[in-house]
Amino acid sequence: MIASLRTGLEATFKGVEVTDREDGMMFVLAPGESIPAVLRYLREHGLDHLALVSCVDWIEEGELEVVYLLTCYMRNNTDYGPEQRRHVLLRTKLPRESAELDSVIGIFENAEPHEREIHELYGVHFEGHPRLIPLFLERGYEIPPFRKDFDTRQYVEKTFGAIPPVED
Amino acid sequence: MDRNQITKWLKSPAKMAHKYSLHAVYFCTGCGIIEIPPVITTRWDAERFGVLPVATPRQGNLFMITGYVSLKTLKAIIRTYEQMPDPKYTVGFGSCPINGGMYWDSYNTIKHLDRYIPVDGWIAGCMPRPEAVFVGVTHLWTLIDKGKADGYLRYKRYYAAYRRNQEMLFGELQWPPLYPTEAEAEEARP
Amino acid sequence: MVTRIIQLLLSPLIALAVGVLFLGLSRKIIARIHRRYGPPLYQPVIDVIRMMSQRSISHGSLFELGVVLALAGSLVTVLFIPLGGTVICRQNPLAHGVLCPLSSSGGLLVVMYLMLFGPLGLALGAGDSANPNASIGVSRKLLLALAYEVPFLLVILAVMSHYRTISITEIVARQQESGWGVLSVPLSAVAAFLILPAMLGIRPFDLVSAPQEIASGPLAEYGGSYLALLAVQKGVHLFVVIALYVDLFLGGGVNLATFLVKMLVVFVAAEMIAAVLPRIRIESAVRFCWKWPTALALLQMAITVLSKSV
């Protein structure tokens, strides 16, 4: 199954790199514009649970890496074999300056808060997301705060250091 | 109750009642709230000191902030504090409300709680043990006795400064001022 | 006349003092069952003084009137309930030391009506505060009242038809002559004990003012002196319900002291059951109240009516 998934992925999509691992993990590196199609393909082939959407900032390479972690639901207690323990890590690399992706809410509905969070913390724009408003943050930030070039110490000194104590 | 206390009760019943009936609003921020269940249940039994958790700010007079305060939480804290009836006492629990603690360089966590609402006492530690809560309560008793636990009075006196600090963080606040600002007070004066 | 005035003043005061003491006792009993030391017995008094000296925040005139209505309703109910004493002369029980200032009028029917004042007053006041938690609490409270009123009315009907009177003083006097109600109408006594926690609002029926789920329900917006009055009202209501139980089933009291001892026994029994039970949901509460207590009360009704008509 895993082997067939690998060959199927490589045959269907162009520019997809698949790395298979011993422990049931499969790393899939896909270009940004083919992410929705790859996700739909994976979903049709049994990986029906989007566990997590995450992001990594590789500042030396000038790239943001968005990671989708897919697993499959256990249908019942008996079929918990290596088939069901599959994980697929779908990764894509975006340029830091113009980080844009298509939203995958149409495929996995639970991606909505994840995409909002990545948008506010990393500044990745998700095209087609119905409401890209801040989820956790209260203030506006010039640089999204989870990017590596965001200087927390300087920001703290500038923001919280400016607030004077209420002297009695 | 010894004889010394009876004379105190007769002299100022309100003050003594505030001492021995601290109904606490535990604001469950961060990890400090983990220490509160042992404090109020069988092991340490805060009820023998008269400390009892209440569900709404209208009924309480002790406000405990247990853990780090993020910006979003600070908004809720300010509103909860303003809803509590006077007299009220605020206690910061753990090192994060004092100076940020391990979140000293976090982009979204405030560093000094006493710049936004008045604080009557601190319980330092990361985390403080339940015994520290009781030491804090007995210290608060001493402060109430000496009339030094006057946070609610300070909030009224320096309300303009507190409000200015809150607005520096949040910009325009979505609720009206609790006390009239100086300009309004000037206008109201005949 | 003078006795009556003294009694009019005395019985609400007794209800206040004993009710607030019972509140403290309940906290102490629950603490001891949890193996805690617990607060002192006079802790509710300290709480009431503290709330009285706090700033009170009002939400409108109905918000204040609701509290007054609830407290006044509970205090007036006390006047209709005999608090111990032996009836020597049936025609004029007042002259012979029955502590019941309004014994000659009303009886059980008035008590039944007046006991609804507490929930109604609270519902009015809490409705004015426009707090969603308060609304949920009020709807739960009225639903719970509906649940326990059915068995309660059946119990009272059985007692009234057994003794052929609606006067509580008369019922107490008959019990002191010929055995307690718990022996002559036993199933009613059991049914009344089963709905006692629901009427008192203690566990497992404390879903009205559940702090963890609906932020103490109807009391959510009450603070300061309003909350103090409501705490006092809770104590007086406790007193009324338990005094009624003692009067109907445990033969009242020969004097005030024995009456209070009997009340203490009933209260501690109810509180010990409450301390080990969890809170149940409103639909389970209604289902329970309409099943077992109602069945027992109906059975006792049938037995009473059949045995009386023979």
Side-chain angles (χ1 to χ4, degrees):
Chain A
M1 181 74 190
I2 294 177
S4 70
L5 191 66
R6 174 179 187 166
T7 47
L9 271 173
E10 281 170 344
T12 319
F13 299 102
K14 242 194 286 172
V16 170
E17 285 176 35
V18 181
T19 325
D20 221 347
R21 289 203 341 190
E22 292 287 313
D23 52 0
M25 282 278 232
M26 184 190 272
F27 284 36
V28 182
L29 184 64
E33 59 272 11
S34 65
I35 282 291
V38 176
L39 271 177
R40 187 168 280 125
Y41 181 88
L42 288 170
R43 190 188 153 162
E44 280 159 8
H45 286 76
L47 291 146
D48 47 1
H49 174 49
L50 178 68
L52 158 88
V53 184
S54 181
C55 190
V56 188
D57 184 9
W58 300 106
I59 193 164
E60 285 89 4
E61 284 101 52
E63 279 172 337
L64 282 170
E65 181 182 342
V66 180
V67 184
Y68 297 82
L69 179 58
L70 292 154
T71 61
C72 50
Y73 283 116
M74 239 200 301
R75 298 291 170 220
N76 50 50
N77 285 338
T78 50
D79 61 356
Y80 192 69
E83 279 294 301
Q84 271 64 39
R85 252 176 283 165
R86 282 179 302 163
H87 296 278
V88 172
L89 250 104
L90 176 62
R91 308 182 299 162
T92 181
K93 301 209 164 171
L94 311 165
R96 287 180 94 250
E97 284 69 37
S98 59
E100 274 192 32
L101 260 183
D102 279 342
S103 172
V104 296
I105 297 176
I107 304 158
F108 288 104
E109 213 173 323
N110 64 330
E112 199 259 356
H114 292 297
E115 289 183 352
R116 253 173 95 185
E117 183 187 356
I118 290 172
H119 170 73
E120 70 172 348
L121 294 177
Y122 288 96
V124 179
H125 181 75
F126 285 91
E127 190 63 44
H129 193 288
R131 42 173 201 163
L132 274 180
I133 51 173
L135 180 63
F136 299 121
L137 302 181
E138 280 287 317
R139 298 166 57 84
Y141 294 85
E142 284 169 24
I143 306 170
F146 272 25
R147 287 204 182 190
K148 288 267 169 66
D149 51 354
F150 179 81
D151 191 344
T152 39
R153 219 175 280 192
Q154 189 195 350
Y155 177 81
V156 163
E157 268 167 34
K158 206 176 75 198
T159 316
F160 300 105
I163 289 169
V166 179
E167 210 42 68
D168 298 7
Chain B
M1 208 192 282
D2 57 0
R3 203 180 301 155
N4 186 18
Q5 289 232 314
I6 291 174
T7 53
K8 273 190 191 170
W9 268 102
L10 291 176
K11 229 185 274 174
S12 56
K15 195 191 266 180
M16 293 299 278
H18 276 105
K19 264 175 70 174
Y20 294 118
S21 160
L22 290 168
H23 283 196
V25 181
Y26 295 112
F27 204 92
C28 317
T29 68
C31 36
I33 198 63
I34 295 299
E35 298 294 320
I36 297 302
V39 169
I40 58 178
T41 50
T42 311
R43 179 73 191 273
W44 275 282
D45 184 22
E47 203 178 353
R48 66 201 151 114
F49 294 93
V51 179
L52 196 69
V54 290
T56 77
R58 298 269 186 228
Q59 302 172 0
N61 63 345
L62 173 65
F63 193 25
M64 278 187 107
I65 289 133
T66 54
Y68 69 86
V69 180
S70 70
L71 287 183
K72 215 161 203 160
T73 324
L74 180 65
K75 252 185 188 174
I77 283 177
I78 293 166
R79 300 195 74 160
T80 311
Y81 181 75
E82 292 186 353
Q83 281 178 34
M84 286 169 72
D86 292 344
K88 49 196 170 187
Y89 311 107
T90 318
V91 173
F93 181 91
S95 55
C96 301
I98 299 176
N99 59 1
M102 62 185 282
Y103 299 96
W104 62 279
D105 65 345
S106 163
Y107 60 97
N108 204 24
T109 312
I110 62 149
K111 310 301 166 226
H112 302 275
L113 182 66
D114 56 347
R115 295 186 183 178
Y116 310 97
I117 61 168
V119 178
D120 291 304
W122 304 102
I123 301 171
C126 183
M127 292 304 297
R129 282 186 57 79
E131 291 93 331
V133 178
F134 295 126
V135 175
V137 166
T138 45
H139 273 280
L140 188 61
W141 285 353
T142 328
L143 287 179
I144 296 172
D145 246 356
K146 290 177 182 164
K148 282 184 180 169
D150 57 348
Y152 63 103
L153 295 175
R154 275 185 283 134
Y155 195 56
K156 192 170 185 178
R157 197 184 313 149
Y158 302 113
Y159 183 67
Y162 281 117
R163 178 95 180 170
R164 191 191 61 227
N165 279 0
Q166 293 162 12
E167 276 174 348
M168 277 172 82
L169 268 194
F170 298 119
E172 195 67 29
L173 292 178
Q174 291 121 9
W175 59 90
L178 180 66
Y179 301 110
T181 53
E182 281 164 18
E184 284 169 6
E186 279 297 321
E187 262 179 42
R189 201 169 292 156
Chain C
M1 191 62 209
V2 179
T3 352
R4 173 167 279 204
I5 291 174
I6 291 175
Q7 285 198 353
L8 272 174
L9 292 174
L10 196 61
S11 49
L13 281 182
I14 292 171
L16 277 177
V18 176
V20 173
L21 186 74
F22 272 12
L23 287 182
L25 194 64
S26 89
R27 281 168 77 172
K28 194 79 179 175
I29 290 171
I30 288 175
R32 282 305 167 90
I33 290 175
H34 293 171
R35 297 198 176 181
R36 290 187 277 130
Y37 183 75
L41 267 185
Y42 49 84
Q43 183 67 39
V45 183
I46 303 179
D47 288 350
V48 165
I49 297 174
R50 193 265 296 172
M51 292 167 192
M52 281 290 195
S53 63
Q54 262 186 310
R55 200 163 70 96
S56 317
I57 297 155
S58 175
H59 291 263
S61 52
L62 209 56
F63 186 77
E64 299 158 13
L65 284 176
V67 180
V68 176
L69 186 67
L71 182 57
S74 296
L75 280 176
V76 167
T77 322
V78 176
L79 303 178
F80 290 92
I81 294 177
L83 311 177
T86 322
V87 184
I88 299 164
C89 174
R90 284 278 172 79
Q91 274 68 44
N92 187 7
L94 195 63
H96 297 281
V98 178
L99 188 53
C100 178
L102 299 178
S103 59
S104 51
S105 55
L108 272 173
L109 294 179
V110 177
V111 169
M112 252 156 54
Y113 277 107
L114 285 177
M115 274 174 69
L116 268 180
F117 266 54
L120 275 183
L122 209 53
L124 277 180
D128 204 26
S129 69
N131 188 312
N133 286 323
S135 310
I136 298 173
V138 165
S139 77
R140 283 186 185 188
K141 180 148 196 150
L142 295 180
L143 209 56
L144 189 64
L146 197 68
Y148 70 67
E149 284 288 314
V150 175
F152 181 59
L153 291 183
L154 286 170
V155 162
I156 284 189
L157 219 54
V159 171
M160 286 196 296
S161 49
H162 182 263
Y163 291 107
R164 304 244 166 198
T165 176
I166 59 160
S167 158
I168 310 179
T169 335
E170 181 69 25
I171 290 172
V172 172
R174 291 278 295 278
Q175 287 184 50
Q176 289 176 351
E177 282 166 9
S178 61
W180 290 359
V182 73
L183 298 174
S184 48
V185 277
L187 296 180
S188 288
V190 174
F193 191 75
L194 287 180
I195 56 167
L196 204 61
M199 297 173 78
L200 298 178
I202 57 177
R203 288 231 166 104
F205 295 99
D206 65 339
L207 44 96
V208 173
S209 56
Q212 291 87 2
E213 34 187 298
I214 50 171
S216 67
L219 310 178
E221 284 291 325
Y222 280 106
S225 50
Y226 305 118
L227 190 63
L229 290 181
L230 281 175
V232 170
Q233 190 264 341
K234 194 179 171 195
V236 177
H237 183 71
L238 207 89
F239 182 87
V240 165
V241 173
I242 294 176
L244 196 64
Y245 189 86
V246 170
D247 270 337
L248 292 185
F249 300 112
L250 298 182
V254 188
N255 50 39
L256 185 62
T258 53
F259 187 78
L260 289 182
V261 168
K262 282 177 186 175
M263 277 185 68
L264 187 69
V265 171
V266 175
F267 176 68
V268 170
E271 201 57 61
M272 284 175 105
I273 293 170
V276 293
L277 286 181
R279 183 184 303 137
I280 59 174
R281 292 197 311 268
I282 180 70
E283 66 261 31
S284 323
V286 175
R287 199 176 298 140
F288 172 79
C289 283
W290 285 357
K291 201 189 273 172
W292 296 111
T294 313
L296 288 174
L298 268 176
L299 194 60
Q300 183 67 59
M301 264 286 288
I303 292 171
T304 310
V305 170
L306 286 177
S307 66
K308 285 283 165 180
S309 61
V310 167

